[in-house]
Amino acid sequence: MFKYYCLNPIAQVGLEKFTQEFTGTEEIGEAEGILVRSASMHDMELSDRLLAVARAGAGYNNIPLEKCAEKGIVVFNTPGANANGVKELVIAGMLLASRDIVGGINWAQSAKDDPDIAKATEKEKKKFAGTEVQDKKLGIIGLGAIGVKVANVAKHMGMEVYGYDPYVSVDAAWNLSRDVKHVLNVEDIYEQCDIITIHVPLLDSTKGMIDRQAIARMKEGVILLNFARDLLVNEEDVIEGIRAGKIRKYVSDFPNPTTAGKEGCIVIPHLGASTSESEDNCAKMAVKQMMEYLKNGNIINSVNYPGCDMGVCTQAGRVAIFHKNIANMITKFTACFGDEGINITDMTNKSKGEVAYTMLDVEQPVRKEMIEKLQSIKGVFRVRVVK
């Protein structure tokens, strides 16, 4: 029986997907799996029992990935599960910025007690005139699950869409409208597009990528949309760009003192994936991935370990080894099994950066002494008997 712990409220429709081999627990230290949304895990003590953390969402900045990797704890996220909810809000944000809808609503609210509001409207509405998005150039930085959906909708709205992503996946490429112009240099997005939306993960290489230098290359009156991560944008530089008239509007889903309430900024309280459908989809996906890993050792959508799938084990045993991605590790593993006279019927080894994951199916059950021998190999983080 596997135990799981919910660090945040998780949609019941997802928890109902757990089979009878799984049960919830109120004691986090007893759990083999943790389900989390926004709660920070950086200062948490991680139990030796913990095998997996599933983030019901795409972002994972609240989880200590390296610490988990070194303890052989697989961290999952749910890419694409909330993509439709975010896509819809991105389109809404684009329309809010192109047409001064917010300004108009605020004026109507302030004039609600005026008996001549209808007459005043005809005089005041010109202050809130905007522009249409049709025939405008939309630049999308990052063609993942969300970026692709935004691109396809924008094409249907009559926009000219440019996409930049040097690492676009095969699946994304298949789903992307063939009318989207795939550019090879992000500067082309900056220089040519009227509206720019960013959809990349927060990495050392992307942190603050929209800065003073990037803004200087953009068209006058550009609209910027940020529904990915606040730290992707140097918002002090954005405020400077707004004051200088370079940036027409900045739409962000991440409130903070730099942008909230500031002229030219439309700040939304992190509503991108806050729909019941997104929360349900993320919960179901997180539960499915956690069950597959805990039961079979297969890894789907991990952010700190490589993907790996050997199906269901039909042999006497399956052993999973988490280790450093260094030379001769496989030789050492197979030698241990050979010394014990245990035949390996199937094996896979995958790596991701500095870590690697090896699974072996064997014809005989593996004794405790054998596991200890594998665990003692330098560079091994964890050895787990799956079956």
Side-chain angles (χ1 to χ4, degrees):
M1 180 72 73
F2 294 106
K3 294 182 179 181
Y4 65 87
Y5 180 88
C6 296
L7 202 55
N8 293 111
I10 302 296
Q12 189 61 32
V13 69
L15 299 182
E16 289 172 355
K17 294 292 182 181
F18 276 120
T19 58
Q20 60 186 8
E21 302 104 311
F22 296 81
T23 185
T25 178
E26 296 298 319
E27 296 295 331
I28 192 170
E30 296 179 351
E32 284 88 7
I34 289 178
L35 291 159
V36 62
R37 291 179 61 199
S38 59
S40 177
M41 297 183 64
H42 286 283
D43 297 326
M44 284 179 53
E45 287 293 328
L46 302 177
S47 164
D48 290 338
R49 290 179 59 88
L50 185 61
L51 299 173
V53 175
R55 161 77 167 97
Y60 41 83
N61 293 34
N62 55 320
I63 304 169
L65 299 186
E66 186 174 343
K67 180 180 175 181
C68 287
E70 291 175 353
K71 290 177 71 69
I73 299 169
V74 182
V75 179
F76 300 94
N77 70 340
T78 56
N82 59 12
N84 190 70
V86 178
K87 172 208 75 179
E88 290 184 359
L89 198 62
V90 170
I91 299 300
M94 183 169 63
L95 296 174
L96 288 172
S98 298
R99 310 281 293 271
D100 191 6
I101 299 169
V102 174
I105 291 172
N106 289 340
W107 173 83
Q109 178 66 22
S110 67
K112 66 182 185 299
D113 297 324
D114 183 353
D116 294 322
I117 187 173
K119 183 177 179 180
T121 294
E122 294 307 310
K123 178 182 177 182
E124 296 293 328
K125 68 178 184 180
K126 61 179 181 245
K127 296 179 180 178
F128 312 111
T131 57
E132 298 177 14
V133 298
Q134 182 171 307
D135 297 326
K136 299 299 187 298
K137 293 179 180 179
L138 172 66
I140 302 174
I141 302 174
L143 293 170
I146 297 168
V148 166
K149 286 181 178 293
V150 171
N152 292 343
V153 170
K155 282 303 301 179
H156 286 296
M157 296 174 72
M159 303 187 76
E160 188 176 342
V161 182
Y162 294 74
Y164 169 76
D165 192 333
Y167 309 108
V168 62
S169 70
V170 173
D171 286 343
W174 274 110
N175 292 322
L176 186 64
S177 168
R178 66 180 181 178
D179 295 323
V180 173
K181 298 176 175 63
H182 191 195
V183 301
L184 301 178
N185 196 320
V186 71
E187 278 76 15
D188 292 335
I189 297 284
Y190 299 152
E191 294 169 1
Q192 298 184 46
C193 294
D194 306 295
I195 303 170
I196 298 173
T197 181
I198 186 167
H199 300 285
V200 297
L202 180 61
L203 308 170
D204 289 340
S205 59
T206 60
K207 185 176 182 180
M209 65 180 295
I210 304 298
D211 58 9
R212 183 178 289 105
Q213 288 72 35
I215 293 168
R217 301 182 74 103
M218 295 178 188
K219 297 174 72 172
E220 292 292 322
V222 68
I223 291 172
L224 293 179
L225 308 171
N226 180 12
F227 288 82
R229 285 289 176 269
D230 55 347
L231 295 180
L232 295 167
V233 177
N234 185 322
E235 294 184 329
E236 295 286 356
D237 291 350
V238 167
I239 295 297
E240 184 180 305
I242 291 171
R243 289 170 179 161
K246 182 78 169 181
I247 298 172
R248 176 175 158 192
K249 291 287 185 183
Y250 174 61
V251 186
S252 170
D253 202 24
F254 310 100
N256 60 58
T258 303
T259 56
K262 299 298 170 55
E263 186 72 25
C265 295
I266 300 173
V267 182
I268 301 167
H270 205 184
L271 299 182
S274 293
T275 67
S276 58
E277 294 89 347
S278 287
E279 291 177 7
D280 289 353
N281 291 338
C282 288
K284 288 187 284 189
M285 191 171 181
V287 167
K288 180 180 178 181
Q289 292 170 175
M290 179 178 286
M291 285 198 299
E292 181 60 29
Y293 171 66
L294 292 180
K295 288 172 62 176
N296 299 312
N298 298 320
I299 297 177
I300 305 168
N301 291 329
S302 172
V303 293
N304 67 340
Y305 271 99
C308 186
D309 188 353
M310 284 180 58
V312 176
C313 179
T314 58
Q315 299 298 314
R318 173 172 287 180
V319 178
I321 307 173
F322 301 85
H323 56 95
K324 290 184 179 179
N325 183 22
I326 53 180
N328 297 322
M329 296 300 281
I330 305 301
T331 301
K332 294 176 182 178
F333 299 156
T334 55
C336 286
F337 286 95
D339 291 344
E340 291 287 318
I342 296 177
N343 186 45
I344 299 170
T345 60
D346 197 6
M347 179 182 73
T348 187
N349 169 260
K350 302 289 184 180
S351 63
K352 185 171 187 173
E354 298 181 355
V355 300
Y357 183 61
T358 300
M359 276 203 298
L360 309 99
D361 286 357
V362 293
E363 289 185 341
Q364 296 88 28
V366 180
R367 297 184 300 118
K368 180 181 177 181
E369 291 77 11
M370 175 71 184
I371 299 304
E372 291 174 349
K373 189 175 181 180
L374 288 167
Q375 187 73 64
S376 68
I377 296 173
K378 187 175 180 180
V380 170
F381 300 132
R382 185 175 209 153
V383 180
R384 178 186 171 217
V385 177
V386 179
K387 178 182 176 183

